[in-house]
Amino acid sequence: MTQNSQLLENSLNNISKILKEDKSILINGDATEVLEKIKDYNSFARLILIDPPYNRRTRFHHYTDSLSSDKWISNLNAHCSILYNLLSKDGSLWMHIDDSELPRARIMLDNLFGPSNFIASIVWQKSVSRDNRTPISTTHEYILVYAKDKSTWHHRRHKLSAKTDQLNRYKNPDNDPRGAWSSGDITAKAGPGRRKEQFYDLKLPSGRIVTPSTGTSWRYTKERLQELIEDNRIDFGKGNKMPRLKRFLSEVEPGLVPDTWWSGKEVGTADSAKRHLKSMFPNLIPFETPKPEELTSRIIEIASDPNDLVMDIYAGSGTTAAVAQKMGRKWLTVEKQKRTFEEFTLPRLELVKKGDDLGGVSEKYKRFKERDFVVLKN
């Protein structure tokens, strides 16, 4: 591995050139300074994943998380205004946040992206145990998701990988040459948008006459349904079952549409993230607010493709860059605190690049992408 440590001031102007050389970039510097240097790089990144300080009025070992609310939102707005311009049209910004400043963050992002480009507020179960010292135990945080253009992003985003039980629903009991299929209901709720042509009696192969139940209609007109029957896309069972549409695995994108509840069992918790980091750096004072790699990989899976650029301007312990490296994405990440950079961010990414970090999602993405990264620092 070649790792080029270059003076930050002399190198920020070369970021575009470095990325075109298929290298990622790790920066020890101030996010504001970096963003000022690259603010004219329109359509630069496919995914921006940020975990800013939450402004909890707390002092951690590696950073202080305490500003006035006005100062906090002003700083974040300045950064996100530039990040918005850096996103490609099919790009999205994902922001970790908790209740401390959630309302201000939502208003700020609505103003930048437009309310129509809000995608979701995802709830992450950060803890599966209760804290009995508190009046009500807080076991969740949020991830705010905004798209540069919601319609474009919708058509480009990925479903979550199909699970075995989902794929097992596809069978081929009639040996259809188009392969395995599952069936779906061909009735729909009867409402203002339904036409009179969708209300009719249907004769089954057995001779029985059936109609949709009260309050529903057929999904198709009689003529369109007949076309589907002639194309062997309607399943009647042995001839007397209510008709169902055959959906062929070869014609659909298998997978699960992401929802807004992400359980700790599926994507890891704050404790599992700390254990993973501790396994890499057992002799250091723990970094207190890491995110689990499983959580980060789900975001990257949904919102990007291999070789896309993933950005994170609040690197912390380096989770975003580490997972992006394992998943074959280019990345650009910035960490301001020198101590955090030298103790966690840089050493962690060196371990990942060598293939020596075997925790997190390393087993799922067994082959690390052979991509060098350049280190820029003062």
Side-chain angles (χ1 to χ4, degrees):
M1 178 186 71
T2 61
Q3 218 183 76
N4 306 313
S5 294
Q6 303 175 19
L7 290 177
L8 180 59
E9 184 62 31
N10 297 328
S11 302
L12 287 176
N13 292 325
N14 296 321
I15 284 179
S16 180
K17 179 181 177 183
I18 294 169
L19 292 171
K20 287 179 180 178
E21 294 172 351
D22 203 35
K23 297 176 182 178
S24 294
I25 302 175
L26 171 61
I27 301 174
N28 179 204
D30 183 77
T32 301
E33 178 184 353
V34 174
L35 290 173
E36 278 297 317
K37 290 288 186 179
I38 64 175
K39 64 182 180 181
D40 296 327
Y41 293 179
N42 294 326
S43 299
F44 184 61
R46 176 78 183 283
L47 168 63
I48 295 174
L49 172 54
I50 56 176
D51 187 7
Y54 291 172
N55 206 25
R56 291 171 173 167
R57 316 307 199 270
T58 303
R59 185 178 182 85
F60 295 105
H61 285 295
H62 295 86
Y63 64 98
T64 299
D65 186 21
S66 183
L67 291 173
S68 70
S69 289
D70 288 345
K71 181 65 173 175
W72 180 86
I73 198 65
S74 176
N75 290 345
L76 189 61
N77 181 67
H79 290 168
C80 289
S81 295
I82 297 176
L83 292 174
Y84 173 84
N85 291 327
L86 296 179
L87 275 175
S88 60
K89 186 176 181 180
D90 59 353
S92 56
L93 180 143
W94 301 57
M95 178 191 292
H96 292 280
I97 199 73
D98 73 356
D99 286 308
S100 302
E101 296 284 5
L102 175 66
R104 292 176 184 84
R106 273 295 310 265
I107 292 170
M108 182 270 291
L109 291 173
D110 270 357
N111 288 336
L112 283 178
F113 285 80
S116 63
N117 288 315
F118 171 69
I119 300 296
S121 178
I122 292 168
V123 181
W124 167 50
Q125 186 186 24
K126 70 173 183 178
S127 175
V128 294
S129 59
R130 300 176 190 272
D131 184 351
N132 293 321
R133 299 168 297 177
T134 59
I136 295 179
S137 180
T138 301
T139 58
H140 72 279
E141 291 181 2
Y142 307 96
I143 307 168
L144 299 178
V145 188
Y146 283 80
K148 187 70 171 283
D149 180 271
K150 186 173 183 177
S151 177
T152 303
W153 185 83
H154 184 185
H155 289 96
R156 292 276 285 141
R157 75 95 173 92
H158 300 293
K159 294 180 181 179
L160 299 177
S161 299
K163 297 181 179 179
T164 302
D165 59 346
Q166 183 193 26
L167 294 176
N168 286 342
R169 297 174 193 154
Y170 289 86
K171 308 289 185 182
N172 195 3
D174 59 349
N175 295 316
D176 194 299
R178 290 164 290 196
W181 52 271
S182 66
S183 65
D185 191 3
I186 63 167
T187 64
K189 183 178 179 180
R194 299 299 171 189
R195 298 179 293 169
K196 64 180 182 179
E197 289 86 355
Q198 291 174 261
F199 297 86
Y200 52 86
D201 294 338
L202 179 67
K203 186 176 182 180
L204 301 182
S206 67
R208 183 165 67 101
I209 305 297
V210 296
T211 58
S213 60
T214 302
T216 66
S217 70
W218 297 113
R219 193 174 297 272
Y220 308 103
T221 65
K222 194 168 188 178
E223 291 74 16
R224 176 55 182 155
L225 182 59
Q226 186 57 41
E227 290 175 357
L228 293 170
I229 292 172
E230 292 174 0
D231 195 28
N232 192 25
R233 288 180 179 267
I234 299 298
D235 173 40
F236 293 100
K238 294 183 178 180
N240 197 42
K241 188 176 77 173
M242 281 289 284
R244 292 178 65 82
L245 179 69
K246 294 166 67 174
R247 295 193 175 102
F248 294 94
L249 181 60
S250 60
E251 297 177 351
V252 301
E253 178 194 357
L256 302 172
V257 172
D259 61 15
T260 55
W261 166 247
W262 293 10
S263 73
K265 181 179 179 181
E266 291 185 340
V267 298
T269 63
D271 285 341
S272 69
K274 291 174 184 177
R275 288 194 299 270
H276 178 208
L277 209 57
K278 188 70 174 175
S279 71
M280 288 185 278
F281 308 108
N283 299 320
L284 295 179
I285 295 175
F287 187 83
E288 292 164 294
T289 57
K291 295 300 187 291
E293 288 195 356
E294 296 84 355
L295 173 65
T296 302
S297 70
R298 175 175 285 193
I299 296 170
I300 292 175
E301 178 185 355
I302 292 169
S304 71
D305 292 301
N307 297 314
D308 281 339
L309 176 64
V310 177
M311 280 189 67
D312 179 5
I313 61 169
Y314 310 102
S317 64
T319 303
T320 298
V323 177
Q325 179 83 9
K326 294 177 184 182
M327 296 179 69
R329 274 68 169 172
K330 283 190 290 189
W331 49 267
L332 186 158
T333 195
V334 184
E335 174 51 41
K336 180 178 180 179
Q337 301 296 331
K338 184 176 180 181
R339 177 185 173 189
T340 302
F341 181 88
E342 293 181 345
E343 289 186 353
F344 292 101
T345 324
L346 176 57
R348 179 180 189 174
L349 290 167
E350 288 175 333
L351 287 173
V352 171
K353 182 62 179 67
K354 294 174 183 176
D356 290 339
D357 168 23
L358 302 180
V361 297
S362 299
E363 182 62 25
K364 183 175 181 180
Y365 302 100
K366 292 183 179 179
R367 182 178 179 275
F368 296 104
K369 178 69 177 179
E370 292 299 321
R371 175 178 284 122
D372 288 329
F373 63 88
V374 173
V375 179
L376 308 181
K377 61 181 180 178
N378 290 317

